[in-house]
Amino acid sequence: MSFGAIKRVDKIVQTDCMTFMPQMGDSSANLVLTDIPYGVVSRPDNGLRNLDKDKADIETFELAPFLEQIYRIVKSTAIIFCAKEQLSEIYGFFDDKAKSAGGYSQAAYLGED
């Protein structure tokens, strides 16, 4: 069975993405899959579960510059797990980019956090 030209990923970089992404070339990533800090994960008990992530999910960056970098480096697909509170900004960003490029939006909302 042939898979054509397959590029091996042979290097994993563990660093701050906001430091590393500016070093990446335009359209250099086929896929971006990220689970950004929600900033709202630690919640009181709602009768179903008590989520206490302590400081693990504190929002520590500005969303707009992050989205600009994602848009610049990704070739085709970006999957961003986020909170409901971040969804409209993320969706609006990619929708505006598509419209300003003369295309149509392919942004999709697939569910809640």
Side-chain angles (χ1 to χ4, degrees), residues 16-26 65 69-70 72-73:
D16 181 336
C17 70
M18 293 305 293
T19 302
F20 187 71
M21 285 193 298
Q23 300 172 37
M24 296 175 68
D26 294 352
Q69 286 298 320
I70 296 294
R72 184 185 65 77
I73 67 169

Side-chain angles (χ1 to χ4, degrees), residues 2-55:
S2 174
F3 293 102
I6 296 177
K7 227 179 188 180
R8 275 188 54 204
V9 176
D10 58 2
K11 186 174 185 180
I12 296 173
V13 179
Q14 183 177 352
T15 188
D16 181 336
C17 70
M18 293 305 293
T19 302
F20 187 71
M21 285 193 298
Q23 300 172 37
M24 296 175 68
D26 294 352
S27 300
S28 60
N30 290 318
L31 168 70
V32 171
L33 173 63
T34 183
D35 186 2
I36 63 175
Y38 293 12
V40 293
V41 168
S42 289
R43 299 176 185 164
D45 184 0
N46 64 1
L48 298 174
R49 59 187 173 172
N50 182 17
L51 297 176
D52 183 5
K53 300 287 187 170
D54 193 32
K55 296 181 181 181

Side-chain angles (χ1 to χ4, degrees), residues 88-104:
S88 62
E89 184 176 353
I90 294 169
Y91 184 92
F93 173 86
F94 287 104
D95 192 51
D96 289 347
K97 290 289 188 181
K99 288 176 183 173
S100 68
Y104 59 94

Side-chain angles (χ1 to χ4, degrees), residues 41-82:
V41 168
S42 289
R43 299 176 185 164
D45 184 0
N46 64 1
L48 298 174
R49 59 187 173 172
N50 182 17
L51 297 176
D52 183 5
K53 300 287 187 170
D54 193 32
K55 296 181 181 181
D57 213 25
I58 295 173
E59 202 166 346
T60 57
F61 67 99
E62 293 293 320
L63 196 51
F66 171 77
L67 295 174
E68 286 289 346
Q69 286 298 320
I70 296 294
Y71 183 77
R72 184 185 65 77
I73 67 169
V74 74
K75 280 184 195 175
S76 60
T77 303
I79 300 169
I80 303 172
F81 292 93
C82 66

